[in-house]
């Protein structure tokens, strides 16, 4: 098993006027290929900042992120855009599905943007919906789906361009406990059956039992990393 994500002494200092807010203060983390890692910690501890930097949505003030051995900071503009659209899949708390598109059309969207032909993207989108347990829901619109189902459509969409790494920022934050569990088990299945690597930020300690390890952040540092499975 290789290392998919390595962060080396990652710092992020936000400046607002003359005031500096250190959101990350030297984060060293290694995430193995095919691992389901939970990131927990109090609000403001730097969880979202960490995920955004790993995903190339934000830049660190200091330190490095390596993904599959490649330094993200060394990527040019186009390479970074390619990294974000092909290598990483993002899942957020609010599903951000397009309301006037059906489930299958929502999943197809990133493939359409990437230039995948109509037939290929339709069949792949249907397969992805099956993978997240929504085979019968392809033609439903978001308003006809429960929160948990919408989030699973968002997970299928995140997988559209076959990323090996999925970054999920409080994906169950808006869900009732049984939907939260279903969404977490969906990630578990992706890791076990597809070998995808998942990093999931959560406030819900109960859900971390489905993960392989739990990294706890506090004040921008990794306070502990615990193995819970395997
Ligand atoms: P978490 O996701 O763990 O709640 P965040 O990563 O969102 O924490 O934020 C970590 C810290 O960085 C917080 O103190 C937050 O207020 C600060 N922060 C986050 N984003 C910004 C920003 N764009 N400008 C200034 N401060 C920010
Ligand atoms: Mg956050």
């Amino acid at each position: 098993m290789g290392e998919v994500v390595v962060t080396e002494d990652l710092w992020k200092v936000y400046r607002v006027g003359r005031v500096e807010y250190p959101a990350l203060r030297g984060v060293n983390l290694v995430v193995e290929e095919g691992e389901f890692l939970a990131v927990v910690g109090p609000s403001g501890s730097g969880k979202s900042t960490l995920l955004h930097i790993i995903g190339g949505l934000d830049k660190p003030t200091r330190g490095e992120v390596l993904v599959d051995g490649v330094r993200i900071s060394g990527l040019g503009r186009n390479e970074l855009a390619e990294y974000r659209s092909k290598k990483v899949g993002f899942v957020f708390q609010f599903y951000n599905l397009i309301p006037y598109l059906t489930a299958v059309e929502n999943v197809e969207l990133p493939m359409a943007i990437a230039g995948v032909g109509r037939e290929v993207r339709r069949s792949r989108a249907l397969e992805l919906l099956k993978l997240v347990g929504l085979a019968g829901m392809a033609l439903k619109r978001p308003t006809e789906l429960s929160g948990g189902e919408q989030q699973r459509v968002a997970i299928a969409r995140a997988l559209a361009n076959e990323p090996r790494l999925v970054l999920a920022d409080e994906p169950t934050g808006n869900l009732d406990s049984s939907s939260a569990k279903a969404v977490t088990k969906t990630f578990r299945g992706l890791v076990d059956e597809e070998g995808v690597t998942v990093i999931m930020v959560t406030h819900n300690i109960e859900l971390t039992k489905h993960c392989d390890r739990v990294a706890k952040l506090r004040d921008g540092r990794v306070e502990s990393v615990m193995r819970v499975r395997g």
Side-chain angles (χ1 to χ4, degrees):
M1 264 201 327
E3 298 169 344
V4 175
V5 178
V6 178
T7 75
E8 294 175 341
D9 192 29
L10 212 57
W11 284 73
K12 179 69 183 183
V13 181
Y14 289 109
R15 285 188 184 78
V16 181
R18 294 183 167 202
V19 187
E20 294 191 340
Y21 296 95
L24 297 180
R25 302 191 292 163
V27 170
N28 294 292
L29 199 62
V30 174
V31 188
E32 300 282 338
E33 188 176 356
E35 179 174 45
F36 188 5
L37 177 77
V39 176
V40 303
S43 178
S45 57
K47 304 180 299 295
S48 295
T49 303
L50 176 63
L51 231 59
H52 292 166
I53 292 175
I54 291 172
L57 298 174
D58 202 351
K59 285 187 183 346
T61 308
R62 173 152 39 110
E64 291 279 0
V65 177
L66 287 95
V67 177
D68 283 335
V70 176
R71 261 163 224 282
I72 302 306
S73 66
L75 299 179
R77 246 185 80 143
N78 294 338
E79 290 167 319
L80 190 63
E82 165 132 348
Y83 169 74
R84 284 194 298 246
S85 69
K86 300 255 173 72
K87 277 227 147 189
V88 192
F90 292 96
V91 179
F92 299 101
Q93 180 172 354
F94 301 101
Y95 335 116
N96 302 320
L97 299 175
I98 311 259
Y100 51 84
L101 296 181
T102 61
V104 70
E105 287 166 346
N106 268 283
V107 178
E108 280 181 64
L109 202 57
M111 292 185 259
I113 293 167
V116 177
R118 190 177 288 271
E119 273 176 41
V120 173
R121 70 182 192 238
R122 174 57 53 108
S123 77
R124 186 160 158 69
L126 289 171
E127 233 167 76
L128 287 169
L129 284 172
K130 203 163 121 194
L131 196 66
V132 298
L134 296 177
M137 307 284 188
L139 299 180
K140 304 252 189 219
R141 283 171 214 283
T143 51
E144 301 173 282
L145 299 170
S146 72
E149 287 163 349
Q150 289 183 59
Q151 188 60 296
R152 283 187 280 150
V153 173
I155 293 170
R157 180 185 57 189
L159 295 169
N161 290 326
E162 304 183 285
R164 301 304 295 155
L165 175 63
V166 173
L167 304 174
D169 194 354
E170 300 198 38
T172 66
N174 206 30
L175 300 176
D176 62 76
S177 64
S178 82
S179 303
K181 194 169 160 190
V183 162
T184 307
K185 285 185 154 182
T186 300
F187 285 126
R188 182 75 251 171
L190 294 174
V191 170
D192 291 343
E193 282 141 47
E194 310 292 313
V196 173
T197 304
V198 177
I199 306 178
M200 177 178 81
V201 170
T202 182
H203 269 120
N204 189 338
I205 298 300
E206 181 67 14
L207 297 176
T208 62
K209 71 177 184 215
H210 302 289
C211 302
D212 296 307
R213 287 190 305 154
V214 182
K216 196 174 194 175
L217 292 195
R218 179 176 293 277
D219 297 333
R221 291 200 181 97
V222 179
E223 188 181 63
S224 65
V225 183
M226 257 177 32
R227 181 162 293 282
V228 287
R229 250 167 152 268

